[in-house]
């Protein structure tokens, strides 16, 4: 595994070196909605084709709406890469318009195997993401002029191998957590795929459902606090893209727990330890292990 991780580190570092968006007023051939999907596409494409990523770091994808310029660029793109499964609801009309104008719309999450219903948070499982990324690489090679080259396919193969190595690394990092402590309480329902992959139970989420715009009732908070107390959960995991107010309120319900920030639906700012998808997954695994081991 050591050799694979060495390659992984090189790929992650390369992806972090600046944003290769359009750099001008013209639309890029590839427009990507979320920062996580954008980093995946950057690693596949390299500098061969310009891309534009709509959401900045720490954006909440559930309520992000495009500017007039971004909406225009979506409609002019050859390919629009979305997460899909309702992840970027504020962009739905603009994405539909881009498809109507002839853009190929590719949903990264829908390329992953064994989906958990309509849960869009496939990226919390790097093993599923490796499969989805391999399929995305084929879609882009077939659709974007100039990408179907040996160099592109070599780069795509190497990145998929990096994601497979990342999955093995995460499993090793989490190995220190005993089975009885593999319990997650999060701001909202994000970690279903992670839990299934690595043997965790999701005890509950503070915000009901998958939408960060919803708020729990006082009774829901009290019930979850009681469940946390009964299970002896030592930490609540709050998202960097959402305020920790609700997690702090739950901790104040009498649950003696630490509130730990994770990066879930968006990359972090440069230097955050989560400014690439690989770093995001690694940092989250390390913080979960530190809180629960």
């Amino acid at each position: 595994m050591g050799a694979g991780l060495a390659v992984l580190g090189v790929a992650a570092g390369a992806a972090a070196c600046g944003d290769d968006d359009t750099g001008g007023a013209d639309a890029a051939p590839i427009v990507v909605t979320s920062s996580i999907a954008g980093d995946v596409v950057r690693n596949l494409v390299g500098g061969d084709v310009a891309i534009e990523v709509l959401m900045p770091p720490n954006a909440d994808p559930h309520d992000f709406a495009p500017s007039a310029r971004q909406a225009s660029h979506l409609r002019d793109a050859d390919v629009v890469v979305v997460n899909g499964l309702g992840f970027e609801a504020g962009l739905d009309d603009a994405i539909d318009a881009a498809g109507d104008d002839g853009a190929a719309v590719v949903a990264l999450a829908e390329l992953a195997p064994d989906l958990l219903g309509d849960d869009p948070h496939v990226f919390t499982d790097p093993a599923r993401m490796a499969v989805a990324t391999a399929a995305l690489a084929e879609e882009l090679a077939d659709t974007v002029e100039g990408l179907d080259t040996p160099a592109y396919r070599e780069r795509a193969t190497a990145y998929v191998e990096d994601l497979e190595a990342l999955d093995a690394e995460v499993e090793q990092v989490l190995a220190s957590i005993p089975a009885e402590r593999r319990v997650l309480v999060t701001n909202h329902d994000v970690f279903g795929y992670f839990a299934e992959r690595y043997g965790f139970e999701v005890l509950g989420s503070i915000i009901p459902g998958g939408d960060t715009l919803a708020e729990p009732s006082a009774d829901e908070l009290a019930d979850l606090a009681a469940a946390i107390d009964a299970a002896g959960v030592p930490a609540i995991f709050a998202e960097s893209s959402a305020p920790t107010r609700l997690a702090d309120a739950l901790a104040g319900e009498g649950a003696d727990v630490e509130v730990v920030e994770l990066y879930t639906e968006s990359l972090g700012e440069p230097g955050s330890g989560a400014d690439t998808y690989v770093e995001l997954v690694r940092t989250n695994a390390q913080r979960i292990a530190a809180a629960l081991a």
Side-chain angles (χ1 to χ4, degrees):
M1 190 173 83
L5 292 181
V7 174
L8 184 152
V10 171
C17 294
D19 193 341
D20 51 353
D21 283 359
T22 59
D26 295 335
I30 303 173
V31 175
V32 191
T33 55
S34 75
S35 58
I36 291 174
D39 185 60
V40 170
V41 173
R42 271 193 290 263
N43 275 278
L44 296 175
V45 171
D48 293 351
V49 174
I51 73 167
E52 178 175 358
V53 180
L54 300 185
M55 297 184 195
N58 283 326
D60 184 339
H62 299 288
D63 65 353
F64 180 87
S67 66
R69 180 190 64 81
Q70 289 174 326
S72 173
H73 285 190
L74 275 166
R75 297 183 71 134
D76 291 341
D78 295 330
V79 180
V80 176
V81 179
V82 304
N83 184 88
L85 297 176
F87 184 71
E88 49 272 277
L91 287 165
D92 281 351
D93 289 344
I95 292 166
D96 288 344
D100 291 342
D101 279 3
V105 179
V106 182
L108 179 58
E110 294 172 25
L111 299 175
D114 304 321
L115 292 175
L116 302 177
D118 294 329
D119 185 348
H121 305 100
V122 172
F123 43 78
T124 62
D125 175 5
R128 279 183 170 94
M129 277 290 279
V131 176
T133 298
L136 175 63
E138 291 299 321
E139 294 267 3
L140 294 179
D142 291 343
T143 310
V144 180
E145 186 177 352
L147 278 189
D148 190 9
T149 66
Y152 169 77
R153 292 189 178 278
E154 240 177 74
R155 187 166 53 242
T157 297
Y159 186 59
V160 170
E161 289 173 352
D162 290 347
L163 297 183
E164 293 167 346
L166 177 63
D167 171 51
E169 181 187 355
V170 169
E171 193 164 15
Q172 185 176 15
V173 168
L174 299 174
S176 60
I177 306 174
E180 67 273 12
R181 291 176 69 88
R182 293 189 173 223
V183 179
L184 297 175
V185 178
T186 58
N187 251 39
H188 83 286
D189 195 5
V190 175
F191 281 94
Y193 293 102
F194 175 94
E196 183 177 87
R197 178 65 181 169
Y198 301 113
F200 282 75
E201 174 193 359
V202 179
L203 181 64
S205 57
I206 302 167
I207 301 172
D211 187 351
T212 56
L213 302 180
E215 291 207 21
S217 67
D219 286 345
E220 286 171 330
L221 273 179
D223 289 345
L224 186 53
I228 288 170
D229 185 58
V233 172
I236 298 168
F237 297 101
E239 299 162 78
S240 65
S241 61
T244 61
R245 174 177 54 86
L246 292 173
D248 291 336
L250 181 55
E253 284 283 324
D256 183 18
V257 294
E258 176 186 9
V259 177
V260 178
E261 185 178 277
L262 298 180
Y263 295 92
T264 54
E265 298 186 317
S266 172
L267 298 183
E269 299 285 350
S272 64
D275 50 348
T276 69
Y277 172 64
V278 166
E279 290 177 349
L280 177 152
V281 172
R282 180 184 291 124
T283 293
N284 283 348
Q286 290 169 345
R287 290 184 180 182
I288 291 170
L292 300 181

